[in-house]
Amino acid sequence: MIQLSGLVICLLLLAADAAMADPPPMAKPNCQDHCGDISIPFPFGMGHNCYMNKWFEVVCNTSSNPHKAVLSGIDMELLEISLDDSRVRVNGPIQSSNCSNRRRTNNNSAIISLTGSPYSFSSFNMFTAIGCDTSALLNQVMPQITGCTTTCSANGSSSKACSGNNCCQTTIPTSIQVFNASLEGDSGCKLGFIVEQSWFRHNITSPWEVQHMLTVPVLLDWIVQDDDFKARAKDSDRIDCANSWWRRQDQERYSYMEYTFPNSSCRCIGGYDGNPYLPDGCLGKTSVKKLASFYKKLIFQGQMLCT
Ligand SMILES: *[C@@H]1O[C@H](CO)[C@@H](O)[C@H](O)[C@H]1NC(C)=O
Ligand SMILES: *[C@@H]1O[C@H](CO)[C@@H](O)[C@H](O)[C@H]1NC(C)=O
Ligand SMILES: *[C@@H]1O[C@H](CO)[C@@H](O)[C@H](O)[C@H]1NC(C)=O
Ligand SMILES: *[C@@H]1O[C@H](CO)[C@@H](O)[C@H](O)[C@H]1NC(C)=O
Ligand SMILES: *[C@@H]1O[C@H](CO)[C@@H](O)[C@H](O)[C@H]1NC(C)=O
Ligand SMILES: *[C@@H]1O[C@H](CO)[C@@H](O)[C@H](O)[C@H]1NC(C)=O
Ligand SMILES: *[C@@H]1O[C@H](CO)[C@@H](O)[C@H](O)[C@H]1NC(C)=O
């Protein structure tokens, strides 16, 4: 009798382990979920029918090493996607003026317009200007005037901090979609860019390092507009989180939608992992884990081994 129940427990444990070993899907069925090391979860996707709409299309260049992902709708190189925060990290441009040793960017490619797209600059970025006696201004973000001015002391050891001497920073207005800076001043090389602030603080040692970079990391917020949900609801790929809380009978899978009508984002509820944008995308892993560790302990003390 003890043997038999041990066997039952073993089978239960194996079933639980199998459930745990199965990670929740991130991409749509039959779609690639990675470009190189970059995870591409739906609503993003690569290839026909794999993304929600053109703004979430990712083109993966497999001939570059490492593979390079581009958000083709806004023509920016993609570094990371976060579903939880509705944010992407991309490579952003650097505007420059009078920099002799800087590779010239073609035409106006240093200007970004995200107007009409679901992307906007996140408030985790700062507008940053580098140069001597430089006055930097963000154009086309009226009515606010956003900019800063640098002074011009000799480059000292204190140049790490961007606090006015050869480097200045300012916060950007909420949800701006255009980057087009003016850089004014008579002397030397001047740079202007929007940059992920924690990267700028922690990953570079001197502001002048940026002079030799072609791009800087930038965080963009993204939203899913309600029309997309309506459109998807018509076919089999309907997004269940559009109906607020929901539940399937055989397995516990939950997601909910955060309403900022008509723009929205989906979340898995606490303790559930996965992709809330896919039907059955949120998987209740926590309860399975607890169950498995409980049975493991029981079996260990009873000297019972699963083979
Ligand atoms: C892909 O990357 C390679 C190597 O960096 C480059 O030569 C090629 O032009 C890229 N292809 C596209 C479509 O961007
Ligand atoms: C540069 O701009 C001109 C005029 O705006 C345009 O005709 C040309 O195609 C652009 N070149 C590149 C490489 O974007
Ligand atoms: C929804 O998103 C669009 C496009 O980003 C934007 O123009 C609009 O103001 C947003 N609406 C709300 C209520 O946030
Ligand atoms: C950038 O801003 C300047 C000043 O407002 C404007 O003249 C120029 O047309 C803008 N460039 C683009 C590409 O919109
Ligand atoms: C500081 O260093 C940068 C890069 O080496 C240089 O372009 C700039 O002119 C220097 N500024 C001063 C005030 O020496
Ligand atoms: C470029 O910088 C040099 C100093 O390095 C300065 O003499 C010149 O006036 C600057 N030119 C412009 C157009 O800002
Ligand atoms: C910044 O540095 C941290 C740790 O040093 C690293 O984990 C992270 O990937 C870096 N970020 C970027 C954008 O390079």
Side-chain angles (χ1 to χ4, degrees):
M1 187 59 206
I2 287 163
Q3 285 285 92
L4 185 64
S5 68
L7 180 64
V8 169
I9 286 165
C10 255
L11 290 174
L12 269 172
L13 174 64
L14 288 174
D17 273 343
M20 274 193 301
D22 209 9
M26 292 308 262
K28 275 177 71 170
N30 305 317
C31 294
Q32 302 229 332
D33 62 1
H34 274 80
C35 171
D37 290 339
I38 306 171
S39 170
I40 312 290
F42 190 78
F44 298 84
M46 293 167 283
H48 186 59
N49 265 336
C50 287
Y51 43 88
M52 186 186 279
N53 62 45
K54 64 170 180 167
W55 299 114
F56 298 108
E57 180 180 11
V58 174
V59 173
C60 187
N61 187 344
T62 51
S63 37
S64 65
N65 187 19
H67 293 182
K68 192 172 144 181
V70 171
L71 283 172
S72 58
I74 55 172
D75 195 22
M76 294 185 87
E77 187 183 350
L78 175 70
L79 303 174
E80 192 179 351
I81 296 171
S82 167
L83 289 187
D84 290 344
D85 307 317
S86 296
R87 209 172 282 147
V88 288
R89 178 177 287 117
V90 295
N91 267 337
I94 298 166
Q95 261 178 262
S96 66
S97 165
N98 203 14
C99 302
S100 53
N101 55 349
R102 234 189 111 70
R103 206 168 89 187
R104 225 184 174 76
T105 41
N106 51 333
N107 268 3
N108 281 333
S109 61
I111 293 172
I112 298 178
S113 177
L114 305 171
T115 312
S117 84
Y119 300 94
S120 61
F121 288 99
S122 153
S123 57
F124 291 93
N125 301 304
M126 296 277 262
F127 176 48
T128 305
I130 292 171
C132 168
D133 272 340
T134 299
S135 172
L137 203 64
L138 277 183
N139 298 321
Q140 299 170 295
V141 293
M142 299 299 279
Q144 280 146 291
I145 291 173
T146 301
C148 63
T149 306
T150 67
T151 56
C152 193
S153 312
N155 288 330
S157 53
S158 65
S159 61
K160 183 175 170 26
C162 186
S163 55
N165 184 24
N166 290 309
C167 180
C168 65
Q169 287 198 306
T170 184
T171 55
I172 57 173
T174 315
S175 303
I176 58 166
Q177 293 189 296
V178 175
F179 168 64
N180 172 6
S182 295
L183 301 168
E184 311 274 329
D186 290 336
S187 52
C189 171
K190 295 177 276 291
L191 308 172
F193 48 92
I194 291 178
V195 64
E196 178 182 358
Q197 180 62 356
S198 71
W199 175 86
F200 190 76
R201 268 214 192 115
H202 301 120
N203 292 46
I204 60 171
T205 50
S206 154
W208 286 108
E209 268 180 58
V210 178
Q211 196 177 337
H212 307 293
M213 296 177 180
L214 293 175
T215 58
V216 287
V218 181
L219 294 174
L220 304 179
D221 296 326
W222 52 270
I223 49 159
V224 170
Q225 282 153 301
D226 199 45
D227 280 353
D228 298 319
F229 285 101
K230 280 188 199 140
R232 303 309 302 194
K234 284 183 196 142
D235 62 43
S236 57
D237 297 310
R238 83 202 153 84
I239 294 154
D240 296 78
C241 87
N243 297 321
S244 192
W245 299 81
W246 65 281
R247 181 192 168 130
R248 261 173 61 126
Q249 283 171 332
D250 53 340
Q251 264 166 310
E252 293 175 328
R253 298 172 182 209
Y254 293 99
S255 66
Y256 73 94
M257 168 181 265
E258 233 172 44
Y259 264 115
T260 48
F261 190 83
N263 302 323
S264 24
S265 58
C266 292
R267 300 274 181 274
C268 294
I269 65 165
Y272 290 77
D273 277 339
N275 187 337
Y277 293 92
L278 291 171
D280 301 346
C282 296
L283 209 53
K285 285 171 86 176
T286 318
S287 53
V288 177
K289 259 184 204 151
K290 270 187 194 142
L291 191 74
S293 61
F294 171 73
Y295 280 123
K296 265 182 187 149
K297 205 183 281 173
L298 207 69
I299 289 158
F300 177 74
Q301 285 168 352
Q303 306 284 306
M304 183 77 194
L305 288 172
C306 300
T307 52

